Amino acid sequence: MPKIRILLIEDNRILRDGIAAMINGHGDVTVAAVSDGREDTLSKARAAKPHLVLMDLGLESQNSLDVVQTLKKEFPAIKIVGMG
């Protein structure tokens, strides 16, 4: 059974690393890519082909809702979970 691939978008490095470590500790899911919410997010999504995006809704570098719109436009089937 294939693993569920997650793109983790979080601008706080310590929190990002902690969340990734918790997720990767489970056999059926994996963090396929991480992003700090800057310009590289879309290219990382293209490369990782995630099933799910787990993202910080309070990104400092850009508007989180703009990121959601961009991801949904390019990957309409992708699921996005926001963290407050």
Coordinates of all heavy atoms in Angstrom, one line a residue:
M1 N 0.8 -1.2 0.0 CA 0.0 0.0 0.0 C 0.9 1.2 0.0 O 1.8 1.4 0.8 CB -0.9 0.0 1.2 CG -1.8 1.1 1.3 SD -3.0 0.7 2.6 CE -3.4 2.3 3.2
P2 N 0.6 2.2 -0.9 CA 1.5 3.4 -1.0 C 1.2 4.3 0.2 O 0.1 4.3 0.8 CB 1.1 4.1 -2.3 CG -0.2 3.4 -2.7 CD -0.3 2.1 -2.0
K3 N 2.3 5.0 0.6 CA 2.2 5.9 1.7 C 1.5 7.2 1.2 O 1.5 7.6 0.0 CB 3.6 6.3 2.2 CG 4.3 5.2 2.9 CD 5.6 5.7 3.5 CE 6.2 4.7 4.3 NZ 7.3 5.2 5.1
I4 N 0.8 7.9 2.2 CA 0.2 9.2 1.9 C 1.3 10.2 2.0 O 2.0 10.3 3.0 CB -0.9 9.5 2.9 CG1 -2.0 8.4 2.8 CG2 -1.4 10.9 2.8 CD1 -3.0 8.5 4.0
R5 N 1.5 10.9 0.9 CA 2.6 11.9 0.8 C 2.0 13.3 1.2 O 1.0 13.7 0.7 CB 3.1 12.0 -0.6 CG 3.9 10.7 -1.0 CD 4.5 10.9 -2.4 NE 3.6 11.3 -3.4 CZ 2.7 10.5 -4.1 NH1 2.7 9.3 -3.8 NH2 1.9 11.0 -5.0
I6 N 2.8 13.9 2.1 CA 2.4 15.2 2.7 C 3.4 16.3 2.3 O 4.6 16.1 2.4 CB 2.2 15.1 4.2 CG1 1.1 14.2 4.6 CG2 2.0 16.5 4.8 CD1 1.0 13.9 6.1
L7 N 2.9 17.4 1.9 CA 3.7 18.6 1.8 C 3.4 19.5 3.0 O 2.3 19.9 3.2 CB 3.4 19.4 0.5 CG 3.9 20.8 0.4 CD1 5.5 20.8 0.4 CD2 3.4 21.5 -0.9
L8 N 4.5 19.7 3.8 CA 4.3 20.5 5.0 C 4.8 21.9 4.8 O 6.0 22.1 4.4 CB 5.1 19.8 6.1 CG 5.2 20.6 7.5 CD1 3.9 20.8 8.1 CD2 6.1 19.8 8.4
I9 N 3.9 22.9 4.9 CA 4.3 24.3 4.8 C 4.2 25.0 6.1 O 3.1 25.2 6.7 CB 3.3 25.0 3.8 CG1 3.3 24.2 2.4 CG2 3.7 26.5 3.6 CD1 2.3 24.7 1.5
E10 N 5.3 25.4 6.7 CA 5.4 26.0 8.0 C 6.6 26.9 8.0 O 7.7 26.4 7.6 CB 5.5 25.0 9.1 CG 5.8 25.4 10.4 CD 4.8 26.4 11.0 OE1 3.6 26.1 11.1 OE2 5.2 27.6 11.3
D11 N 6.5 28.2 8.4 CA 7.7 29.1 8.3 C 8.5 29.0 9.6 O 9.7 29.5 9.6 CB 7.3 30.5 8.0 CG 6.2 31.0 8.9 OD1 5.8 30.3 9.9 OD2 5.7 32.2 8.7
N12 N 8.1 28.4 10.6 CA 8.9 28.2 11.9 C 9.6 26.9 11.8 O 9.0 25.8 11.8 CB 7.9 28.2 13.1 CG 8.7 28.1 14.4 OD1 9.5 27.2 14.5 ND2 8.4 29.0 15.3
R13 N 10.9 27.0 11.6 CA 11.8 25.8 11.4 C 11.6 24.8 12.5 O 11.5 23.6 12.2 CB 13.3 26.2 11.2 CG 14.1 25.0 10.9 CD 15.6 25.3 10.9 NE 16.1 26.0 12.2 CZ 16.4 25.3 13.3 NH1 16.2 24.0 13.3 NH2 16.7 25.9 14.4
I14 N 11.6 25.2 13.7 CA 11.6 24.2 14.9 C 10.2 23.5 14.8 O 10.2 22.3 15.0 CB 11.8 25.0 16.2 CG1 13.2 25.5 16.3 CG2 11.5 24.0 17.4 CD1 13.5 26.4 17.4
L15 N 9.2 24.2 14.6 CA 7.8 23.6 14.5 C 7.7 22.7 13.3 O 7.2 21.6 13.4 CB 6.8 24.7 14.5 CG 5.3 24.3 14.6 CD1 5.1 23.4 15.8 CD2 4.4 25.5 14.6
R16 N 8.3 23.2 12.2 CA 8.3 22.4 10.9 C 9.0 21.0 11.2 O 8.5 20.0 10.8 CB 8.9 23.2 9.8 CG 8.9 22.5 8.5 CD 9.4 23.5 7.4 NE 10.8 23.9 7.6 CZ 11.2 25.1 7.7 NH1 10.4 26.1 7.6 NH2 12.5 25.4 7.9
D17 N 10.2 21.1 11.8 CA 11.0 19.9 12.0 C 10.3 18.9 13.0 O 10.3 17.7 12.8 CB 12.4 20.2 12.6 CG 13.2 20.9 11.5 OD1 12.9 20.9 10.3 OD2 14.3 21.5 11.9
G18 N 9.6 19.5 14.0 CA 8.9 18.7 15.0 C 7.7 18.0 14.4 O 7.5 16.8 14.6
I19 N 6.9 18.7 13.6 CA 5.8 18.1 12.9 C 6.2 17.0 12.0 O 5.6 15.9 11.9 CB 4.9 19.2 12.2 CG1 4.3 20.1 13.2 CG2 3.8 18.6 11.3 CD1 3.6 21.4 12.6
A20 N 7.2 17.3 11.2 CA 7.7 16.3 10.2 C 8.2 15.0 11.0 O 7.9 13.9 10.5 CB 8.9 16.9 9.4
A21 N 8.9 15.2 12.1 CA 9.3 14.0 12.9 C 8.2 13.2 13.4 O 8.2 12.0 13.4 CB 10.2 14.5 14.0
M22 N 7.1 13.9 13.9 CA 6.0 13.2 14.3 C 5.2 12.4 13.2 O 4.9 11.3 13.4 CB 5.0 14.1 15.0 CG 5.4 14.6 16.4 SD 4.2 15.5 17.3 CE 3.6 16.7 16.1
I23 N 5.1 13.0 12.1 CA 4.4 12.4 10.9 C 5.2 11.2 10.4 O 4.7 10.2 10.1 CB 4.1 13.4 9.8 CG1 3.1 14.4 10.3 CG2 3.7 12.7 8.5 CD1 2.9 15.6 9.4
N24 N 6.5 11.4 10.3 CA 7.4 10.4 9.7 C 7.5 9.2 10.6 O 8.0 8.2 10.2 CB 8.7 10.9 9.3 CG 8.7 11.8 8.0 OD1 7.8 11.5 7.2 ND2 9.5 12.8 7.9
G25 N 7.1 9.3 11.9 CA 7.1 8.2 12.8 C 6.0 7.2 12.6 O 6.0 6.2 13.3
H26 N 5.1 7.4 11.6 CA 4.0 6.5 11.3 C 4.3 5.9 10.0 O 4.7 6.5 9.0 CB 2.7 7.3 11.3 CG 2.4 7.8 12.7 ND1 1.9 7.1 13.7 CD2 2.5 9.1 13.2 CE1 1.7 7.8 14.8 NE2 2.1 9.1 14.5
G27 N 3.9 4.6 9.8 CA 4.3 3.9 8.6 C 3.5 4.2 7.4 O 3.9 4.0 6.3
D28 N 2.2 4.7 7.6 CA 1.4 4.9 6.4 C 1.4 6.3 5.8 O 0.8 6.6 4.8 CB -0.1 4.5 6.8 CG -0.6 5.3 8.0 OD1 0.2 5.9 8.7 OD2 -1.8 5.2 8.3
V29 N 2.1 7.2 6.4 CA 2.3 8.6 5.9 C 3.7 9.0 5.9 O 4.5 8.5 6.7 CB 1.4 9.6 6.7 CG1 0.0 9.4 6.6 CG2 1.8 9.6 8.2
T30 N 4.1 9.9 5.0 CA 5.4 10.4 5.0 C 5.4 11.9 4.6 O 4.5 12.3 3.8 CB 6.3 9.6 4.0 OG1 7.7 10.1 4.1 CG2 5.9 9.8 2.6
V31 N 6.3 12.7 5.1 CA 6.5 14.1 4.7 C 7.4 14.0 3.4 O 8.6 13.8 3.5 CB 7.1 15.0 5.8 CG1 7.3 16.4 5.2 CG2 6.1 15.0 7.0
A32 N 6.8 14.2 2.3 CA 7.5 14.1 1.0 C 8.3 15.4 0.7 O 9.3 15.3 0.0 CB 6.5 13.9 -0.1
A33 N 7.8 16.5 1.3 CA 8.6 17.8 1.1 C 8.1 18.8 2.2 O 7.0 18.7 2.7 CB 8.2 18.4 -0.3
V34 N 9.0 19.7 2.4 CA 8.7 20.8 3.4 C 9.0 22.1 2.7 O 9.9 22.2 1.8 CB 9.5 20.7 4.7 CG1 9.1 19.4 5.5 CG2 11.0 20.7 4.5
S35 N 8.3 23.1 3.1 CA 8.5 24.4 2.6 C 8.3 25.5 3.7 O 7.5 25.2 4.6 CB 7.5 24.7 1.5 OG 7.6 26.1 1.1
D36 N 9.0 26.6 3.6 CA 8.8 27.6 4.6 C 7.8 28.6 4.1 O 7.6 29.7 4.7 CB 10.2 28.3 4.9 CG 10.8 29.0 3.8 OD1 10.2 29.0 2.7 OD2 12.0 29.5 3.9
G37 N 7.1 28.3 3.0 CA 6.1 29.2 2.5 C 6.5 30.3 1.5 O 5.8 31.1 1.1
R38 N 7.8 30.2 1.1 CA 8.3 31.2 0.2 C 8.0 30.7 -1.2 O 7.2 29.9 -1.5 CB 9.8 31.5 0.4 CG 10.0 32.1 1.8 CD 11.4 32.5 2.0 NE 11.7 32.8 3.4 CZ 11.4 34.0 4.0 NH1 10.8 34.9 3.3 NH2 11.6 34.2 5.3
E39 N 8.8 31.2 -2.2 CA 8.6 31.0 -3.6 C 8.7 29.5 -4.0 O 8.2 29.1 -5.0 CB 9.5 31.8 -4.4 CG 9.4 33.3 -4.3 CD 10.2 33.8 -3.0 OE1 11.2 33.2 -2.6 OE2 9.7 34.8 -2.4
D40 N 9.4 28.7 -3.2 CA 9.7 27.3 -3.6 C 8.5 26.4 -3.4 O 8.6 25.2 -3.7 CB 10.9 26.8 -2.8 CG 10.7 26.7 -1.3 OD1 9.8 27.3 -0.8 OD2 11.5 26.0 -0.7
T41 N 7.5 26.8 -2.8 CA 6.3 25.9 -2.4 C 5.8 25.2 -3.6 O 5.6 24.0 -3.6 CB 5.2 26.7 -1.7 OG1 5.8 27.3 -0.5 CG2 4.1 25.9 -1.3
L42 N 5.5 25.9 -4.7 CA 4.9 25.3 -5.9 C 5.8 24.3 -6.5 O 5.4 23.3 -6.9 CB 4.5 26.4 -6.8 CG 3.5 26.0 -7.9 CD1 2.2 25.4 -7.3 CD2 3.1 27.2 -8.7
S43 N 7.1 24.7 -6.6 CA 8.0 23.7 -7.2 C 8.2 22.5 -6.4 O 8.3 21.3 -6.9 CB 9.4 24.4 -7.5 OG 10.0 24.8 -6.3
K44 N 8.1 22.6 -5.1 CA 8.2 21.4 -4.2 C 7.0 20.6 -4.3 O 7.0 19.4 -4.3 CB 8.5 21.9 -2.8 CG 9.9 22.4 -2.5 CD 10.2 22.6 -1.1 CE 11.6 23.0 -1.0 NZ 12.1 23.1 0.4
A45 N 5.8 21.2 -4.5 CA 4.6 20.5 -4.7 C 4.6 19.7 -6.0 O 4.2 18.6 -6.1 CB 3.4 21.4 -4.7
R46 N 5.1 20.3 -7.0 CA 5.2 19.6 -8.3 C 6.1 18.4 -8.2 O 5.8 17.4 -8.8 CB 5.8 20.6 -9.4 CG 4.8 21.7 -9.8 CD 5.4 22.6 -10.8 NE 4.5 23.7 -11.2 CZ 4.9 24.9 -11.2 NH1 6.1 25.3 -11.0 NH2 4.0 25.9 -11.5
A47 N 7.2 18.6 -7.5 CA 8.2 17.5 -7.4 C 7.7 16.3 -6.5 O 7.9 15.2 -6.8 CB 9.5 18.0 -6.9
A48 N 7.1 16.7 -5.4 CA 6.6 15.7 -4.4 C 5.3 15.0 -4.7 O 5.1 13.9 -4.3 CB 6.5 16.4 -3.0
K49 N 4.5 15.7 -5.5 CA 3.2 15.2 -5.9 C 2.4 14.7 -4.6 O 2.0 13.5 -4.5 CB 3.3 14.1 -6.9 CG 3.8 14.5 -8.2 CD 3.9 13.4 -9.2 CE 4.4 13.8 -10.5 NZ 5.6 14.5 -10.6
P50 N 2.2 15.6 -3.7 CA 1.6 15.2 -2.4 C 0.1 14.9 -2.5 O -0.6 15.4 -3.4 CB 1.8 16.4 -1.5 CG 1.8 17.6 -2.5 CD 2.5 17.0 -3.7
H51 N -0.4 14.1 -1.7 CA -1.8 13.8 -1.6 C -2.5 14.9 -0.7 O -3.7 15.2 -0.8 CB -2.1 12.4 -0.9 CG -1.5 11.3 -1.7 ND1 -0.4 10.6 -1.3 CD2 -1.9 10.7 -2.9 CE1 -0.1 9.7 -2.1 NE2 -1.0 9.7 -3.1
L52 N -1.7 15.4 0.3 CA -2.2 16.3 1.3 C -1.2 17.4 1.6 O 0.0 17.1 1.6 CB -2.4 15.5 2.6 CG -2.8 16.2 3.8 CD1 -4.3 16.7 3.7 CD2 -2.6 15.4 5.1
V53 N -1.7 18.6 1.8 CA -0.9 19.7 2.2 C -1.3 20.1 3.6 O -2.5 20.3 3.9 CB -1.0 20.9 1.3 CG1 -0.3 22.1 1.8 CG2 -0.6 20.6 -0.2
L54 N -0.3 20.1 4.5 CA -0.5 20.6 5.9 C 0.2 21.9 6.0 O 1.4 22.0 5.8 CB 0.1 19.6 6.8 CG -0.1 19.8 8.3 CD1 -1.6 19.8 8.7 CD2 0.6 18.7 9.1
M55 N -0.6 23.0 6.1 CA 0.0 24.3 6.0 C -0.4 25.3 7.2 O -1.5 25.2 7.7 CB -0.3 25.0 4.7 CG -1.6 25.6 4.5 SD -1.7 26.5 2.9 CE -0.6 27.8 3.2
D56 N 0.6 26.1 7.5 CA 0.4 27.2 8.5 C -0.4 28.2 7.8 O -0.1 28.7 6.7 CB 1.8 27.7 8.8 CG 1.8 28.9 9.8 OD1 0.7 29.2 10.3 OD2 2.8 29.5 10.0
L57 N -1.5 28.6 8.5 CA -2.4 29.7 7.9 C -1.9 31.1 8.3 O -2.5 32.1 7.9 CB -3.8 29.5 8.4 CG -4.5 28.3 7.9 CD1 -5.9 28.2 8.4 CD2 -4.6 28.3 6.4
G58 N -0.8 31.2 9.1 CA -0.2 32.5 9.5 C 1.1 32.7 8.9 O 2.0 33.2 9.6
L59 N 1.4 32.4 7.7 CA 2.7 32.6 7.1 C 3.1 34.0 7.1 O 2.2 34.9 6.8 CB 2.7 32.0 5.6 CG 2.5 30.6 5.4 CD1 2.4 30.2 3.9 CD2 3.7 29.8 6.1
E60 N 4.3 34.3 7.4 CA 4.7 35.7 7.5 C 5.2 36.2 6.1 O 5.1 37.4 5.8 CB 5.9 35.9 8.5 CG 5.3 35.7 9.9 CD 6.4 36.0 11.0 OE1 7.4 36.7 10.6 OE2 6.3 35.5 12.1
S61 N 5.7 35.3 5.3 CA 6.3 35.7 4.0 C 5.3 36.0 2.9 O 5.6 36.7 2.0 CB 7.3 34.6 3.5 OG 6.6 33.4 3.3
Q62 N 4.1 35.4 3.0 CA 3.0 35.7 2.0 C 1.7 35.3 2.6 O 1.6 34.7 3.6 CB 3.3 34.9 0.7 CG 3.4 33.4 0.8 CD 3.8 32.8 -0.5 OE1 3.2 33.1 -1.5 NE2 4.7 31.9 -0.5
N63 N 0.6 35.7 1.9 CA -0.7 35.4 2.3 C -1.0 33.9 2.1 O -0.9 33.4 1.0 CB -1.7 36.2 1.4 CG -3.1 36.1 1.9 OD1 -3.6 35.0 2.2 ND2 -3.8 37.2 1.9
S64 N -1.4 33.2 3.2 CA -1.6 31.8 3.1 C -2.8 31.4 2.2 O -2.8 30.4 1.6 CB -1.9 31.3 4.5 OG -0.8 31.5 5.4
L65 N -3.8 32.3 2.1 CA -4.9 32.0 1.3 C -4.5 32.1 -0.2 O -5.1 31.3 -1.0 CB -6.1 32.9 1.6 CG -6.7 32.8 3.0 CD1 -7.8 33.8 3.2 CD2 -7.2 31.3 3.2
D66 N -3.6 32.9 -0.5 CA -3.1 33.0 -1.9 C -2.4 31.7 -2.2 O -2.5 31.1 -3.4 CB -2.1 34.1 -2.1 CG -2.8 35.5 -2.1 OD1 -4.1 35.5 -2.2 OD2 -2.1 36.5 -1.9
V67 N -1.6 31.1 -1.3 CA -0.9 29.8 -1.5 C -2.0 28.7 -1.7 O -1.8 27.9 -2.6 CB 0.0 29.5 -0.3 CG1 0.6 28.1 -0.4 CG2 1.1 30.5 -0.1
V68 N -3.0 28.7 -0.9 CA -4.1 27.7 -1.1 C -4.7 27.8 -2.5 O -4.9 26.8 -3.1 CB -5.2 27.9 0.0 CG1 -6.4 27.1 -0.3 CG2 -4.6 27.6 1.4
Q69 N -5.0 29.0 -2.9 CA -5.6 29.2 -4.2 C -4.7 28.7 -5.3 O -5.2 28.1 -6.3 CB -6.0 30.7 -4.5 CG -7.2 31.1 -3.7 CD -7.5 32.6 -4.0 OE1 -6.6 33.4 -4.1 NE2 -8.8 32.9 -4.0
T70 N -3.4 29.0 -5.2 CA -2.5 28.6 -6.2 C -2.4 27.1 -6.3 O -2.4 26.5 -7.4 CB -1.1 29.2 -6.0 OG1 -1.2 30.7 -5.9 CG2 -0.1 28.8 -7.0
L71 N -2.3 26.5 -5.1 CA -2.2 25.0 -5.1 C -3.4 24.3 -5.6 O -3.3 23.4 -6.4 CB -1.9 24.5 -3.6 CG -0.5 24.8 -3.1 CD1 -0.5 24.5 -1.6 CD2 0.5 24.0 -3.8
K72 N -4.6 24.8 -5.2 CA -5.8 24.2 -5.7 C -6.0 24.4 -7.2 O -6.6 23.6 -7.9 CB -7.0 24.8 -5.0 CG -7.2 24.3 -3.5 CD -7.3 22.8 -3.4 CE -8.7 22.4 -3.7 NZ -8.9 20.9 -3.4
K73 N -5.5 25.5 -7.8 CA -5.6 25.8 -9.2 C -4.8 24.8 -10.0 O -5.2 24.2 -11.0 CB -5.2 27.2 -9.5 CG -5.3 27.5 -11.0 CD -4.7 28.9 -11.3 CE -5.8 29.9 -11.2 NZ -5.3 31.2 -11.7
E74 N -3.6 24.5 -9.5 CA -2.7 23.6 -10.2 C -3.0 22.1 -9.9 O -2.8 21.2 -10.7 CB -1.2 23.9 -9.9 CG -0.3 23.1 -10.8 CD 1.0 23.7 -11.0 OE1 1.2 24.9 -10.9 OE2 1.9 22.9 -11.4
F75 N -3.4 21.9 -8.6 CA -3.7 20.5 -8.2 C -5.1 20.4 -7.6 O -5.3 20.4 -6.4 CB -2.7 20.1 -7.1 CG -1.2 20.3 -7.4 CD1 -0.6 21.5 -7.0 CD2 -0.5 19.4 -8.2 CE1 0.8 21.7 -7.3 CE2 0.8 19.6 -8.5 CZ 1.4 20.7 -8.1
P76 N -6.1 20.4 -8.5 CA -7.5 20.5 -8.0 C -7.9 19.3 -7.0 O -8.8 19.5 -6.2 CB -8.3 20.4 -9.2 CG -7.4 20.3 -10.4 CD -6.0 20.3 -9.9
A77 N -7.3 18.2 -7.1 CA -7.6 17.1 -6.3 C -6.9 17.0 -4.9 O -7.3 16.3 -4.0 CB -7.3 15.7 -7.0
I78 N -6.0 17.9 -4.7 CA -5.2 17.9 -3.5 C -6.1 18.4 -2.3 O -6.9 19.2 -2.5 CB -3.9 18.8 -3.6 CG1 -2.9 18.4 -2.7 CG2 -4.3 20.3 -3.5 CD1 -1.5 19.0 -3.0
K79 N -5.8 17.8 -1.2 CA -6.5 18.1 0.1 C -5.6 19.0 0.8 O -4.4 18.8 0.9 CB -6.8 16.9 0.9 CG -7.6 15.9 0.1 CD -9.0 16.4 -0.3 CE -9.8 15.3 -1.0 NZ -10.6 15.8 -2.0
I80 N -6.1 20.1 1.5 CA -5.3 21.0 2.2 C -5.9 21.2 3.6 O -7.1 21.4 3.8 CB -5.3 22.4 1.5 CG1 -4.7 22.3 0.1 CG2 -4.5 23.4 2.4 CD1 -4.7 23.6 -0.7
V81 N -5.1 21.0 4.6 CA -5.4 21.1 6.0 C -4.7 22.3 6.6 O -3.4 22.4 6.5 CB -5.1 19.9 6.8 CG1 -5.4 20.1 8.3 CG2 -5.9 18.7 6.3
G82 N -5.4 23.3 7.1 CA -4.8 24.5 7.6 C -4.5 24.4 9.1 O -5.4 23.8 9.9
M83 N -3.4 24.9 9.6 CA -3.0 24.9 11.0 C -3.1 26.4 11.4 O -2.4 27.2 10.8 CB -1.6 24.4 11.2 CG -1.5 22.9 10.8 SD 0.2 22.3 11.1 CE 1.2 23.4 10.1
G84 N -3.8 26.7 12.5 CA -3.9 28.1 12.9 C -2.9 28.5 13.9 O -1.9 28.0 14.3

